[in-house]
Structure formats: C-alpha cells, structure tokens
Amino acid sequence: MILSTTPSIEGQQIGRYLGVVTGETIIGANFVKDFFASIRDIVGGRSGSYERVLSEARDTAMKELVQRAEAIGANAIVGIDIDYETIGANGSMLMVAVSGTAVVLV
C-alpha cells in the first residue's frame, strides 16, 4: 500500500478513485503521565510519555485507514490528512483522525 499526503503519486497513474477512507482512534492519558508531563512543563524538556501515546494513536489510526482501503480494493491512498484533537473532561483523551482517498494505481 502506497501512502501519500499529496494528491497523486509521481510516476504512477491513478486508474480508479474508490472514495474517502478514514481511520480514528481515541486514547486516554493516565494520571501518572499527566503528573510527569506537568513537571516537564515546569522544568522544560520533552514529554516522552506523551510522545509515545501520540505515536501509538497515530499508528493505530493509520493502520485502520489502510485496512479500510484494502477492504475496498485500493493499492494506494492519496491526500492523507492527519488531525489531532483533545476531548473529554479537561482534555484527558486524545483523538487522532486520518483520512484520504483510496485509489487503484495502474
């Protein structure tokens, strides 16, 4: 599966557009991660625990996107967009939504 944020794949011709596909995931950040992240906010530096959660959520959403595209016969997804949003009480949940156009390259 070829994945691209661009509307086309250089050197490839799109034979069919199969439609928009999406992948979503919502993941919670626990109290311990929140506590250590707040310390990082005070003393500076990167929050490795939040970065891992963000990476995990993005990977899960992308896997779901690919599975949905494969299910309809696509061999590529173009125009991929990744959106991040905090939701829930006090922004305690992270939502990652990805979307793109499933296509068949010839």
Side-chain angles (χ1 to χ4, degrees):
M1 178 75 59
I2 297 174
L3 306 175
S4 177
T5 58
T6 61
S8 61
I9 307 293
E10 187 174 341
Q12 299 283 328
Q13 182 178 353
I14 295 174
R16 288 188 2 238
Y17 290 86
L18 303 176
V20 174
V21 287
T22 61
E24 307 85 14
T25 189
I26 298 175
I27 194 161
N30 68 30
F31 171 77
V32 174
K33 289 179 187 171
D34 288 343
F35 174 74
F36 285 115
S38 67
I39 291 173
R40 285 278 186 211
D41 287 343
I42 294 168
V43 299
R46 295 172 63 168
S47 175
S49 60
Y50 272 118
E51 288 174 356
R52 283 187 294 281
V53 168
L54 181 62
S55 179
E56 177 186 338
R58 184 183 55 249
D59 291 347
T60 300
M62 288 295 287
K63 286 177 188 173
E64 188 174 291
L65 178 80
V66 169
Q67 289 172 348
R68 289 179 177 169
E70 288 174 340
I72 60 173
N75 62 4
I77 305 169
V78 296
I80 294 175
D81 181 56
I82 305 172
D83 293 310
Y84 302 90
E85 186 71 37
T86 55
I87 60 175
N90 301 318
S92 61
M93 305 289 282
L94 174 68
M95 178 180 71
V96 179
V98 295
S99 61
T101 302
V103 299
V104 176
L105 300 175
V106 293

